[in-house]
Amino acid sequence: MTAASAEAPTHIGWVPVPDHISRDAHRTPAAKVRLGPLLAVCGLAGGAGATTLSYLIALAAARQSSEPVLVADTGGPSGGLAARACVEVPRSLGELAEQLATGVTLAGGIYGTGRDGLHVLATGPEFSSPQADEQVRRLLVDAREAHGLTVIDCGTLTREAEQTAAAAATHVAWMLTATAHGVSRGRRVLEAVPRMAGKELIVARNDVRQANAPLRELRRIAVERRAPLVLVPHLSGLDADRLAAAADAAQVPVQAILGALRR
């Protein structure tokens, strides 16, 4: 850790973006607080649907919980989460971490508020790749302190901030397409990843454009990981007109995932 990062404030006030009143980011907690679960949704290949599922899980949790729920990504070139949530904030999780690394006090808004009061930390397309691992971890601890559930869209774990978020997670949903190619790619990635006993889920998304892999192949991956298998239907785009239909179609698997987080 650099000298600058050592002096950076440890706690962040999770202030909504519309609130432009500056607040000191440094807080000293009076007592030990409960940390909410942190779910990392990780695609085992591009197009697995990690962004869509992250948003639907967080939205369902926000509708059911009296505690605030946060969904975030780490930045990146797609801007997919911001588009799905219809909320775009000025600074990504990675950029916030980079500011902390240089000793800058974070003031003003951090997240935006989307449907059903869901807190959203997502930016438009971003082509930088901030590197501030320790500060990303600090931000995620603070997010867990401030929210009943934090969901991070970790893409395909190609960026350093995505890998840091996945390593800091209390639960990981490994997402693949339920096709022969998806199973083959997913198994290769998972062979390189240590198991997180009792903290993993295997999520297989149906793809209507290709033939599905035999269910036994998906079950074999789940048995190898000692993780529950969750099957998700094909989900089309999540524009305003199709959001309700997508949330309805995914209701059973999303509730299964939320149930696993509560155990």
Side-chain angles (χ1 to χ4, degrees), residues 8-261:
T10 305
H11 290 275
I12 307 305
W14 285 85
V15 186
V17 166
D19 182 355
H20 296 294
I21 301 172
S22 296
R23 302 187 185 185
D24 187 349
H26 182 70
R27 307 185 268 112
T28 302
K32 186 175 180 179
V33 296
R34 181 187 68 83
L35 300 179
L38 169 61
L39 173 66
V41 182
C42 307
L44 295 175
T51 299
T52 297
L53 186 67
S54 297
Y55 179 63
L56 289 177
I57 292 170
L59 185 63
R63 287 172 172 170
Q64 297 170 22
S65 176
S66 59
E67 297 182 285
V69 175
L70 173 72
V71 63
D73 60 16
T74 62
S78 75
L81 182 60
R84 282 164 177 75
C86 299
V87 176
E88 186 174 315
V89 300
R91 297 168 297 183
S92 68
L93 183 69
E95 289 173 320
L96 290 170
E98 204 166 54
Q99 284 187 262
L100 278 180
T102 60
V104 174
T105 298
L106 301 181
I110 292 178
Y111 64 80
T113 303
R115 296 179 179 91
D116 295 280
L118 177 63
H119 294 177
V120 181
L121 200 174
T123 58
E126 174 188 274
F127 290 88
S128 62
S129 184
Q131 296 183 354
D133 285 359
E134 181 59 30
Q135 285 67 34
V136 169
R137 280 189 284 269
R138 289 182 181 188
L139 282 167
L140 293 175
V141 169
D142 281 337
R144 291 180 59 198
E145 180 181 326
H147 296 89
L149 172 64
T150 299
V151 181
I152 306 293
D153 170 15
C154 289
T156 54
L157 296 175
T158 53
R159 303 168 75 247
E160 192 169 347
E162 293 170 347
Q163 296 170 28
T164 300
T170 62
H171 299 77
V172 176
W174 299 112
M175 192 155 188
L176 66 155
T177 52
T179 62
H181 179 68
V183 167
S184 173
R185 287 286 303 272
R187 177 169 279 119
R188 284 178 58 82
V189 175
L190 289 173
E191 284 171 354
V193 180
R195 281 200 302 259
M196 295 172 60
K199 300 298 184 183
E200 293 181 314
L201 301 98
I202 303 298
V203 182
R205 179 185 61 78
N206 181 40
D207 189 335
V208 297
R209 298 165 298 182
Q210 302 181 53
N212 283 341
L215 184 57
R216 65 177 178 274
E217 293 295 324
L218 299 170
R219 285 176 173 158
R220 187 174 301 162
I221 292 177
V223 169
E224 289 167 358
R225 299 301 295 188
R226 300 177 188 173
L229 173 64
V230 180
L231 302 177
V232 177
H234 181 87
L235 299 171
S236 54
L238 288 186
D239 56 37
D241 294 333
R242 290 182 285 185
L243 174 63
D248 240 9
Q251 183 176 10
V252 171
V254 163
Q255 292 307 317
I257 292 168
L258 291 175
L261 298 181

